[in-house]
Amino acid sequence: MAVNSMDAQSPAWSPQRVWATLLLALGAVVATSWAWRDIAHIARVDEESSQVLLALPVCLWLIWSYRKAIRGVPAEASFMGPVLIGLGWGLSWYGYNHGAQSPWHLGAVMVLVGAVWSVLGDRVMLRAWPVLVALLFLIPVPGRVRLEIAVPLQELTARGAEVVLVMFGMSVERTGMLLVYNDKPVRIDEACNGMRMVFALLLVCYGYAMANPLNPYMRVIIILLSPLFAVLCNIIRVVPTTIVYGKYGDAAGDTFHDISGWAMIGIAFFLLMGLVRLLEWAEVPVVVPEHQRTVAYPG
């Protein structure tokens, strides 16, 4: 008696599984389309939620990194998928009808994860848990949470930028989060949006830490250092931005501000690489030796 290939245990990346996963994922997005439209709208109009635009690329990066770890894991039926779909649908319904943005969005993400889980099963999804964590960055951060983190980081950025500008012989004055250079006032929250960098860089740090075969303690250190990377990148950004505003006016300053924002993501990535290489040069055990890696490691 023949056994249907979708019912028997089969590799996670068989053509049937891939197509079934894509179709169910598409169906989950369509079923919760209002929430996904709202997420896309917020990411498009709110700079402080720009990490949403990076979430899917980072998820794809992690899937590619863990492809060997999950390629041979048998995919099998699981009740967890339908359970997540039901819980996510209820949470999204509650959020939509009670004006609670985060539950609305989180529920939509849970429905998507549940649809994929239904096809691939427990072992595949648990092996790919770093991808599931990265999906949480699709949820825009509530405004009150952002403000609690933004204000102290922006003040640190202002102080750091003042120190750097003075070191280079620039005549600059600082009052709170306001820098004045060449009689041109530049607010740090306008010239260099701290929150945009915090969550985007947290995602980049997380992706880098999980996509490479680093020791667990090193992964934790990199993720915990993400706010420091945000401040450092903000200072790197705000110093030339302040100079451009002061010397060339608002139009040039606005253009430089927009371009430099996304450039900081690349700079942060290379800073992470430099940190790891420096620690390796210092003979700190950063990377797990190949012979000690388990099948769950990327690579």
Side-chain angles (χ1 to χ4, degrees), residues 10-282:
S10 61
W13 301 115
S14 64
Q16 298 95 325
R17 293 281 175 180
V18 171
W19 281 110
T21 302
L22 292 176
L23 288 174
L24 275 181
L26 178 61
V29 172
V30 171
T32 54
S33 59
W34 287 108
W36 289 108
R37 289 177 185 176
D38 191 60
I39 291 173
H41 173 73
I42 293 173
R44 187 169 59 251
V45 302
D46 185 2
E47 281 188 337
E48 295 177 355
S49 296
S50 60
Q51 82 281 351
V52 175
L53 301 175
L54 291 174
L56 285 180
V58 170
C59 286
L60 293 174
W61 176 28
L62 289 172
I63 290 172
W64 176 257
S65 299
Y66 281 83
R67 66 192 185 281
K68 294 181 181 178
I70 61 180
R71 181 182 296 162
V73 179
E76 53 192 1
S78 170
F79 286 109
M80 182 58 68
V83 169
L84 285 174
I85 292 174
L87 291 175
W89 184 268
L91 188 62
S92 191
W93 178 89
Y94 172 85
Y96 178 78
N97 287 280
H98 291 81
Q101 177 181 289
S102 294
W104 183 26
H105 296 157
L106 175 59
V109 174
M110 288 176 63
V111 171
L112 173 60
V113 172
V116 175
W117 203 305
S118 298
V119 182
L120 299 183
D122 298 342
R123 284 189 281 183
V124 174
M125 297 302 287
L126 292 177
R127 184 67 61 83
W129 68 266
V131 182
L132 303 182
V133 175
L135 284 173
L136 294 177
F137 285 89
L138 287 169
I139 304 169
V141 181
R144 281 184 292 182
V145 176
R146 297 199 310 246
L147 287 175
E148 288 292 329
I149 302 174
V151 173
L153 291 183
Q154 288 170 350
E155 186 171 353
L156 284 174
T157 298
R159 292 178 180 273
E162 178 190 23
V163 170
V164 173
L165 286 167
V166 171
M167 286 177 57
F168 280 94
M170 305 289 183
S171 179
V172 62
E173 298 179 3
R174 182 184 64 84
T175 303
M177 291 183 290
L178 181 71
L179 292 175
V180 179
Y181 171 68
N182 204 20
D183 295 326
K184 179 66 178 180
V186 179
R187 287 191 61 82
I188 297 304
D189 53 351
E190 296 171 354
C192 189
N193 193 310
M195 282 308 305
R196 178 179 182 178
M197 298 302 297
V198 168
F199 288 102
L201 284 176
L202 175 58
L203 177 57
V204 170
C205 289
Y206 172 80
Y208 183 87
M210 302 310 300
N212 290 281
L214 305 179
N215 278 307
Y217 76 87
M218 192 62 203
R219 289 177 168 175
V220 173
I221 290 174
I222 288 177
I223 294 172
L224 291 179
L225 284 178
S226 58
L228 179 61
F229 276 100
V231 172
L232 178 60
C233 289
N234 270 328
I235 293 172
I236 294 174
R237 181 187 183 191
V238 79
V239 167
T241 299
T242 301
I243 295 173
V244 172
Y245 270 110
K247 287 190 174 183
Y248 303 105
D250 291 343
D254 290 343
T255 300
F256 185 86
H257 160 261
D258 293 337
I259 295 173
S260 62
W262 288 106
M264 288 300 99
I265 300 296
I267 291 177
F269 186 81
F270 285 108
L271 286 175
L272 285 171
M273 293 179 60
L275 173 63
V276 171
R277 296 294 181 271
L278 177 63
L279 292 174
E280 286 183 317
W281 175 81

